[in-house]
């Protein structure tokens, strides 16, 4: 494809679609579809909010141009805003889709830019004052990026209404489907844009405030990311008591707080549907980094309710932390009858906090008198509570309580041996009672005792438990050889034009459930031949791309001429060849095209 001889100079804050349309007006192309084909290599009238195939366009610009992908994305689209609310994986997918996305059937990497949660308008808006000023200053009219937010009804600069349609003929000033935009200060019917002054109400002020926050995030997208945003929200929510001392987020209270303080707003005008707030899906995905991009208006409004603005939220110095209640020890036994009473010597404890009351507590065990001391209270006023009952008839119960806490607090070796001996005696009594004849009966009679000894004294327990039922031993050598043959047969039944990469699961689905389950349970060490056999057929993504070359070529050649370059093949085949391919894959494509005499020079 030949390079173009000249290109238009973008204006300040000009929307990317406007740049392409102005080039069309200057190029002399008969139809807009010819401009699209010349720049992006696609025959389509449609313009997208985020461009696709931007690398192709850059390759077709005049020699020596100074345009870059970053310049177009950061200065002429809202990519910087979306970037802050995306994970690194999604950013990479979106970036690759913008650079090379030519497969219209593949939605991977694309964002939701329409609907009730969208932040960007699906209709193109114009400010009458900006139109006149642009005509005077630049001699041309263009689309301003800042006007294209879904909730924005007035121009943030001139405070006059934004218009989508002509008030006389009701036709749209700009249409993404046809790619055509406003050429001058008048509609095609000859009517000028209305210059109406309106009274600024509270809704307009909210829109301007929201716009300023969004513009701030877009400008600072290199300093912010989704993890930073979640951290700042977490700190602020904790400061407002929306996160419990245990770290549980009070999502219902957050949503109630949000709805109560925004009930006077028209959510449809703000680009967000209030009814979605009641769905379980929204609550479950609140502050989920993979879903935040779908609810951008919500997070901006929540930031304003919590901190006054998103800018103040990011600058907040609140910390999601408290001082450790009661310190790190050591602590003294609270039993006044203990021979070591008052001496700070216990260094292990169990900490707890009540989410409802916010009261913190610690429990610790004295190995001298077998007493459990409890200290509890909030982080300001700690109230000490002692347990004074030490009668012999309750000594065993107290020991059971203290040893339960002892497991969590990592008590001394002496106390563990004491408990171990006690548990052994309990198990011996249970087994000599002759009521439990099988292992299942032992578990049913005392599940906790059985599980505890299996964890801490398995060898002793196995030597005294009833023998296991005789199980039929499997000959894994025979099973391994049998599975090897069955896997080979199953792999042979997979078609050469299978539409997905071949994985282990692809082959296992061809086996009967018994063989499939045996492989999954024993493949690590008992079925080496079967494991090696199945791994022979498992494909990497690169191998899958190489295998798919003939399939994609057949589809492309059915609708187009046979001759093509490697880049043209990749553009028309799948965006995967850009995301996961490399020079080796390109070489296989080149070799295939050459062998089929369809490689274009």
């Amino acid at each position: 494809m030949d390079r173009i001889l000249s290109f238009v100079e973008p204006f300040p804050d000009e929307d990317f679609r406007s740049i392409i349309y102005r080039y069309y007006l200057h190029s002399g192309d008969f139809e807009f579809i010819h401009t699209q084909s010349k720049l992006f290599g696609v025959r389509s009238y449609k313009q997208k909010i985020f461009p696709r195939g931007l690398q192709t366009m850059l390759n077709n610009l005049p020699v020596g141009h100074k345009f870059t992908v970053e310049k177009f994305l950061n200065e002429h689209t809202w990519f910087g805003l979306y970037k802050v609310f995306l994970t690194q994986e999604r950013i990479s997918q979106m970036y690759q889709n913008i650079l090379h996305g030519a497969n219209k059937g593949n939605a991977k990497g694309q964002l939701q830019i329409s609907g009730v949660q969208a932040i960007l308008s699906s209709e193109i808006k114009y400010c009458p004052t900006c139109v006149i000023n642009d005509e005077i200053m630049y001699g041309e009219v263009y689309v301003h990026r800042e006007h294209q937010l879904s909730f924005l009804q007035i121009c943030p600069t001139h405070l006059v209404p934004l218009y989508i349609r002509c008030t006389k003929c009701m036709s749209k000033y700009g249409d993404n489907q046809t790619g055509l935009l406003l050429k001058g200060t008048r509609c095609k019917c000859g009517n000028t844009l209305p210059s109406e002054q309106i009274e600024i109400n509270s809704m307009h002020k909210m829109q301007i405030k929201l716009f300023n926050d969004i513009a701030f995030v877009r400008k600072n997208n290199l300093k912010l990311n989704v993890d930073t945003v979640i951290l700042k929200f977490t700190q602020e929510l904790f400061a407002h008591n929306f996160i419990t001392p245990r770290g549980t987020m009070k999502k219902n209270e957050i949503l109630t707080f949000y709805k109560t303080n925004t009930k006077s707003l028209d959510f449809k005008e703000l680009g967000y549907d209030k009814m979605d707030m009641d769905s379980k899906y929204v609550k479950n995905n609140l502050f989920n980094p993979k879903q935040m991009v779908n609810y951008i208006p919500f997070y901006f409004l929540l930031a304003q309710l919590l901190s006054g603005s998103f800018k103040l939220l990011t600058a907040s110095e609140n910390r999601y932390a408290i001082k450790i209640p009661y310190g790190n020890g050591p602590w003294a036994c609270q039993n006044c009858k203990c021979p070591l009473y008052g001496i700070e010597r216990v260094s292990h404890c169990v900490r707890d906090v009540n989410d409802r009351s916010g009261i913190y507590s610690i429990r610790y065990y004295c190995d001298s008198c077998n007493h459990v001391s409890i200290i509890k209270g909030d982080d300001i006023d700690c109230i000490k509570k002692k347990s004074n009952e030490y009668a012999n008839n309750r000594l065993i119960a107290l020991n059971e309580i203290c040893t339960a806490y002892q497991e969590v607090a990592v008590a001394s070796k002496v106390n563990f041996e004491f408990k171990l001996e006690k548990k052994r005696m309990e198990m011996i009594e249970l087994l000599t009672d002759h009521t439990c004849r099988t292992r299942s009966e032992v578990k049913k009679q005392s599940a906790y005792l059985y599980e505890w000894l299996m964890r801490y004294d398995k060898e002793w327990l196995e030597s005294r438990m009833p023998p296991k039922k005789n199980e039929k031993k499997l000959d894994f050598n025979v099973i391994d050889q049998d599975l090897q043959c069955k896997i080979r047969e199953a792999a042979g039944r997979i078609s050469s034009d299978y539409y997905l990469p071949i994985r282990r699961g692809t082959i296992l689905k061809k086996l009967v459930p018994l063989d499939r389950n045996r492989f999954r349970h024993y493949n690590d060490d008992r079925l080496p031949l079967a494991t090696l056999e199945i791994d022979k057929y498992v494909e990497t993504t690169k191998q899958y791309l190489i295998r798919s070359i003939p399939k994609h070529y057949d589809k492309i050649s059915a609708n187009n001429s046979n001759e093509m370059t490697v880049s043209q093949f990749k553009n028309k085949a799948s965006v995967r060849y850009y995301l996961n391919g490399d020079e080796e894959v390109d070489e296989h494509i080149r070799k295939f095209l050459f062998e089929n005499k369809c490689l274009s020079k």
Side-chain angles (χ1 to χ4, degrees), residues 334-597:
Q334 303 295 314
N335 179 18
C336 59
K337 296 181 180 181
C338 177
L340 300 177
Y341 171 72
I343 300 176
E344 294 180 345
R345 49 182 294 276
V346 181
S347 57
H348 301 286
C349 75
V350 176
R351 301 182 188 272
D352 196 11
V353 60
N354 189 309
D355 270 346
R356 293 185 178 181
S357 64
I359 294 178
Y360 296 87
S361 64
I362 62 171
R363 295 176 175 85
Y364 54 90
Y365 165 72
C366 175
D367 56 3
S368 176
C369 65
N370 295 328
H371 175 76
V372 177
S373 298
I374 303 174
I375 304 176
K376 68 179 180 177
D378 56 30
D379 56 336
I380 300 175
D381 181 24
C382 297
I383 303 173
K384 296 183 179 180
K385 180 180 180 181
K386 297 187 293 182
S387 175
N388 296 319
E389 297 170 30
Y390 192 61
N392 289 334
N393 59 345
R394 300 193 63 186
L395 180 59
I396 297 177
L398 284 173
N399 284 336
E400 285 294 319
I401 294 174
C402 70
T403 48
Y405 288 117
Q406 164 194 343
E407 295 175 33
V408 182
V410 193
S412 64
K413 183 178 179 180
V414 175
N415 295 320
F416 176 78
E417 291 177 351
F418 172 79
K419 179 174 182 177
L420 179 64
E421 187 64 28
K422 184 174 180 297
K423 294 297 182 184
R424 285 180 175 179
M425 292 301 296
E426 291 178 7
M427 179 57 71
I428 291 173
E429 291 177 4
L430 184 63
L431 294 174
T432 55
D433 192 29
H434 301 295
T435 56
C436 303
R437 298 184 178 182
T438 64
R439 293 184 178 227
S440 298
E441 291 176 351
V442 173
K443 293 178 186 178
K444 186 176 181 180
Q445 187 75 15
S446 184
Y448 172 76
L449 179 62
Y450 176 83
E451 294 295 339
W452 194 94
L453 286 172
M454 283 297 291
R455 180 177 181 181
Y456 296 107
D457 200 12
K458 183 177 181 180
E459 185 177 350
W460 180 90
L461 182 63
E462 288 287 0
S463 65
R464 286 160 176 78
M465 286 291 289
K468 295 181 180 179
K469 293 181 179 179
N470 292 329
E471 297 179 357
K472 184 179 179 181
K473 293 185 177 180
L474 299 175
D475 188 342
F476 286 103
N477 290 329
V478 175
I479 294 174
D480 192 16
Q481 294 175 9
D482 182 51
L483 271 178
Q484 183 185 22
C485 297
K486 291 179 178 179
I487 288 172
R488 188 182 300 116
E489 294 174 1
R493 294 197 299 272
I494 298 176
S495 174
S496 61
D497 60 349
Y498 182 65
Y499 67 99
L500 291 174
I502 298 174
R503 308 297 188 199
R504 278 189 175 186
T506 311
I507 300 172
L508 292 177
K509 286 180 181 179
K510 303 287 185 180
L511 302 178
V512 297
L514 175 63
D515 293 331
R516 184 163 59 241
N517 292 331
R518 280 182 171 177
F519 181 84
R520 286 172 174 168
H521 283 92
Y522 305 119
N523 70 72
D524 291 338
D525 51 356
R526 301 183 184 181
L527 305 173
L529 296 178
T531 303
L532 289 174
E533 187 67 28
I534 197 171
D535 286 341
K536 290 180 183 178
Y537 306 101
V538 172
E539 290 180 326
T540 63
T541 304
K542 187 167 69 173
Q543 291 170 333
Y544 162 70
L545 292 175
I546 295 171
R547 177 172 62 84
S548 302
I549 292 174
K551 178 185 69 174
H552 289 302
Y553 172 75
D554 291 340
K555 291 183 179 179
I556 295 170
S557 60
N559 300 319
N560 301 279
S561 60
N562 290 334
E563 290 192 359
M564 66 188 77
T565 64
V566 173
S567 297
Q568 289 174 334
F569 176 88
K570 292 163 65 175
N571 287 338
K572 296 174 182 178
S574 172
V575 73
R576 284 193 178 202
Y577 283 97
Y578 285 105
L579 297 176
N580 307 113
D582 56 14
E583 294 180 358
E584 182 183 350
V585 176
D586 291 352
E587 185 59 33
H588 277 82
I589 297 173
R590 187 176 293 104
K591 182 179 178 182
F592 178 86
L593 295 176
F594 178 79
E595 290 176 351
N596 287 270
K597 299 180 181 180

Side-chain angles (χ1 to χ4, degrees), residues 98-327:
I98 288 173
L99 282 183
H100 309 293
N103 186 359
K104 299 179 181 179
N106 187 358
K108 189 174 183 179
Q110 299 184 47
L111 296 175
Q112 179 181 0
I113 54 176
S114 62
V116 293
Q117 291 90 13
I119 194 72
L120 300 182
S121 173
S122 58
E123 306 287 355
I124 298 174
K125 306 178 185 179
Y126 287 92
C127 164
T129 307
C130 288
V131 167
I132 295 172
N133 291 345
D134 294 341
E135 178 73 23
I136 296 173
M137 183 173 296
Y138 303 107
E140 294 183 82
V141 171
Y142 68 92
V143 178
H144 286 244
R145 174 180 53 167
E146 67 177 16
H147 297 155
Q148 308 313 313
L149 295 174
S150 59
F151 61 86
L152 207 56
Q153 295 176 323
I154 62 174
C155 174
T157 304
H158 302 109
L159 304 181
V160 297
L162 299 173
Y163 290 92
I164 297 172
R165 299 175 180 272
C166 174
T167 55
K168 182 180 179 180
C169 67
M170 298 306 295
S171 61
K172 294 181 180 180
Y173 291 126
D175 189 350
N176 284 322
Q177 297 301 312
T178 63
L180 302 181
L181 306 176
L182 192 64
K183 295 182 180 180
T185 58
R186 295 176 179 271
C187 174
K188 58 186 178 182
C189 70
N191 189 40
T192 59
L193 275 72
S195 55
E196 177 186 359
Q197 296 293 330
I198 61 171
E199 182 180 351
I200 305 302
N201 56 31
S202 59
M203 174 59 69
H204 295 138
K205 292 178 181 178
M206 171 62 76
Q207 291 175 8
I208 297 300
K209 186 178 180 181
L210 189 57
F211 165 78
N212 291 332
D213 266 357
I214 292 172
F216 164 79
V217 172
R218 186 198 69 205
K219 293 175 184 177
N220 292 273
N221 68 84
L222 296 179
K223 300 177 183 178
L224 300 173
N225 57 55
V226 68
D227 295 324
T228 303
V229 171
I230 292 175
L231 174 62
K232 289 297 181 180
F233 267 114
T234 303
Q235 293 171 346
E236 203 66 19
L237 289 170
F238 185 73
H240 284 74
N241 199 32
F242 286 120
I243 296 180
T244 67
R246 287 181 179 271
T248 303
M249 188 174 290
K250 302 177 183 178
K251 294 185 177 181
N252 288 329
E253 293 186 18
I254 293 172
L255 296 176
T256 301
F257 165 77
Y258 177 84
K259 289 186 286 187
T260 302
N261 288 277
T262 56
K263 59 184 178 182
S264 61
L265 300 178
D266 188 341
F267 277 77
K268 290 184 178 179
E269 293 181 355
L270 287 175
Y272 190 79
D273 187 357
K274 185 176 181 179
M275 296 306 295
D276 284 349
M277 302 292 294
D278 299 323
S279 69
K280 290 184 178 180
Y281 181 83
V282 172
K283 186 177 75 171
N284 293 338
N285 286 286
L286 201 62
F287 297 102
N288 179 350
K290 295 183 178 180
Q291 297 291 334
M292 289 187 71
V293 70
N294 293 329
Y295 304 96
I296 292 177
F298 166 79
Y299 291 109
F300 275 100
L301 289 172
L302 181 62
Q304 291 185 5
L305 295 176
L306 294 173
S307 305
S309 71
F310 208 96
K311 182 177 181 180
L312 293 177
L313 175 78
T314 57
S316 172
E317 296 184 356
N318 288 325
R319 293 290 180 265
Y320 179 37
I322 61 170
K323 293 182 179 179
I324 298 177
Y326 314 106

